[in-house]
Amino acid sequence: MIDFNVPPYIGTELDYVKESVEVNHKICGDGPFTKKCSAWMQDRFGATRALLTTSGSTALDMAAMLSELKPGDEVILPSFTFSSTATAFANVGAQLVFIDVRPDTMNIDEKLIEAAITPKTRVIVPVHYAGVACEMDTIMAIAREHNLIVCEDAAQGVMSTYKGHALGTIGDFGCYSFHETKNYSMGEGGAICIKDQKLAERAEIIREKGTDRSRFLRGQVDKYTWVDKGGSYLPSDMNAAYLWAQLEHAEQINDDRLDTWAAYDKAFADLAASERISTPVIPEGCVHNAHMYYIKLRDLEDRTAFIAHMRERGVCCVFHYVPLHSAPAGLKFGRFHGKDVYTTADSDRLVRLPMYYGMTDADRTTVIEATLDYFA
Ligand SMILES: *Cc1c(COP(=O)(O)O)cnc(C)c1O
């Protein structure tokens, strides 16, 4: 069986974990490996500040706390996304305003944002689906005009860029995930990028249970104390050690995934041209990270038959997301603004093919041939 996902593994992860335990004697948060990872993200992505977190979800939680919303304040986000994008803002009392996606990228339709803005709107959350950037110039211009915060859900977008800028560093906040299903992994983990220096200081406090321990450790204050709300959002240095092994080889992992993506895309080009299926579109100015390869079939029935066919051929394919506005919590905490033209219809048609670091040529060929046979 070809799995849908295999967690990335470079080979040096366990050496570094051992080093954290036996050499550094530092296994709690903010040890040497955490510092290496955050410095790397700041250098490589040009983030003002990048802080490792325990997950992409807690990175979003931190961004929601940093947004300082009042109950009833509104947050605009796509309905076609993972639940954590919404939960973070529901947790701080926000009213969620879901809008439709564009069918080419399955990203938030930037042309629908302005109509969804009310006097209570505070935040826009672009989700860079499949690691392909949202139309950030337009989104940032709308945010500036209406004085809104932009929180990028870049959980899938590590190493992707928009017009040369790393995803996660364009808005006020950017949230990454290092879950085992993402391009780089520490098991469970994530990071938040913060653009504003002042907010970065507050983020350090929120991440350290509401204390100014980070400033204390840098010698900026002579004792540390409880100064704000917060949580425990820093991961163990053992997990950071695991991630560091992969960040050191970020290019290698990225190139390998892009090879698989390109092999799929080439193999399915004729099917796409004949409009039997649709394949992902990468808009101009966007460089993606091959987080995902998906195809869209005719409808739910076609997709169900496709997944069954692939399973018979030993290939595991999966679908997502149940649109949030129709989920029980979505009904409770939000509303859909405008017309649901693509969110529900396209989420019923979409299927993801196996995609992970280290897929062999034989595995790629099996997936491609099984796919082509379905349509033959
Ligand atoms: C994976 C993911 C998250 C959550 O990340 P975790 O690290 O699993 O908490 C949030 N948003 C999107 C779009 C994701 O794909």
Side-chain angles (χ1 to χ4, degrees):
M1 193 79 188
I2 297 180
D3 288 321
F4 164 70
N5 176 63
V6 175
Y9 186 66
I10 279 287
T12 43
E13 286 89 342
L14 295 179
D15 298 334
Y16 288 160
V17 172
K18 200 162 187 277
E19 187 178 324
S20 75
V21 178
E22 292 184 356
V23 180
N24 298 341
H25 305 295
K26 184 78 184 168
I27 59 171
C28 72
D30 281 342
F33 284 109
T34 303
K35 291 200 177 97
K36 278 187 197 204
C37 292
S38 30
W40 186 91
M41 287 187 283
Q42 284 162 200
D43 280 2
R44 167 96 208 194
F45 301 145
T48 308
R49 197 82 178 83
L51 300 168
L52 276 192
T53 59
T54 47
S55 66
S57 303
T58 50
L60 286 159
D61 286 338
M62 283 184 61
M65 286 179 82
L66 286 162
S67 299
E68 296 199 78
L69 303 185
K70 294 181 300 301
D73 279 352
E74 294 178 355
V75 174
I76 296 174
L77 72 167
S79 172
F80 184 74
T81 180
F82 187 61
S83 53
S84 295
T85 319
T87 312
F89 290 94
N91 285 343
V92 296
Q95 178 72 18
L96 306 173
V97 179
F98 299 108
I99 64 173
D100 210 3
V101 287
R102 317 169 13 160
D104 58 346
T105 56
M106 298 304 281
N107 280 335
I108 191 168
D109 188 337
E110 69 281 356
K111 291 190 221 58
L112 303 176
I113 294 175
E114 260 187 313
I117 293 175
T118 74
K120 289 187 161 179
T121 307
R122 295 285 174 267
V123 186
I124 306 171
V125 193
V127 179
H128 304 298
Y129 181 68
V132 179
C134 297
E135 186 36 55
M136 291 307 290
D137 278 353
T138 307
I139 293 171
M140 294 308 290
I142 294 170
R144 265 192 300 276
E145 192 183 327
H146 296 270
N147 198 21
L148 306 176
I149 294 166
V150 174
C151 172
E152 299 177 70
D153 183 338
Q156 304 176 5
V158 179
M159 291 284 281
S160 297
T161 57
Y162 172 81
K163 300 188 179 171
H165 300 284
L167 301 192
T169 66
I170 302 164
D172 301 275
F173 309 117
C175 302
Y176 296 144
S177 169
F178 299 119
H179 185 259
E180 73 164 34
T181 53
K182 300 304 200 295
N183 294 25
Y184 307 93
S185 182
M186 53 201 278
E188 300 277 355
I192 179 170
C193 299
I194 304 125
K195 196 189 257 169
D196 178 79
Q197 188 55 43
K198 269 234 124 51
L199 279 175
E201 281 170 32
R202 176 128 198 268
E204 286 185 341
I205 289 167
I206 287 176
R207 181 168 165 272
E208 266 280 18
K209 304 110 187 150
T211 73
D212 56 359
R213 188 159 184 274
S214 302
R215 255 182 275 170
F216 170 73
L217 291 175
R218 284 197 299 263
Q220 291 167 322
V221 287
D222 55 12
K223 61 181 184 330
Y224 82 87
T225 185
W226 179 39
V227 293
D228 205 339
K229 289 182 187 169
S232 185
Y233 297 130
L234 59 173
S236 158
D237 218 47
M238 292 188 287
N239 293 66
Y242 198 98
L243 177 66
W244 177 245
Q246 297 180 13
L247 295 184
E248 274 191 326
H249 297 282
E251 222 67 61
Q252 179 185 330
I253 292 175
N254 203 40
D255 290 348
D256 178 271
R257 296 184 73 109
L258 283 165
D259 282 350
T260 301
W261 198 99
Y264 285 161
D265 208 50
K266 184 159 174 266
F268 308 141
D270 287 347
L271 280 170
S274 71
E275 295 183 15
R276 175 61 182 89
I277 61 171
S278 359
T279 51
V281 171
I282 312 298
E284 206 169 307
C286 300
V287 176
H288 74 110
N289 61 358
H291 172 63
M292 193 190 298
Y293 196 91
Y294 62 87
I295 61 175
K296 285 192 254 173
L297 291 105
R298 280 200 183 111
D299 51 24
L300 183 57
E301 198 186 344
D302 193 21
R303 181 181 72 184
T304 306
F306 176 80
I307 292 175
H309 161 89
M310 295 300 276
R311 182 159 284 279
E312 248 166 57
R313 296 285 293 264
V315 180
C316 182
C317 297
V318 303
F319 62 84
H320 68 179
Y321 302 103
V322 177
L324 296 185
H325 72 281
S326 57
L331 294 168
K332 201 148 114 197
F333 301 120
R335 64 169 188 272
F336 194 92
H337 182 275
K339 249 184 100 181
D340 171 9
V341 180
Y342 297 109
T343 299
T344 302
D346 280 29
S347 77
D348 277 349
R349 306 198 290 133
L350 185 147
V351 62
R352 304 169 62 182
L353 303 186
M355 168 62 73
Y356 49 86
Y357 168 69
M359 262 186 102
T360 62
D361 280 340
D363 287 349
R364 287 176 189 165
T365 304
T366 304
V367 176
I368 288 169
E369 283 177 356
T371 303
L372 295 177
D373 283 351
Y374 175 79
F375 298 103

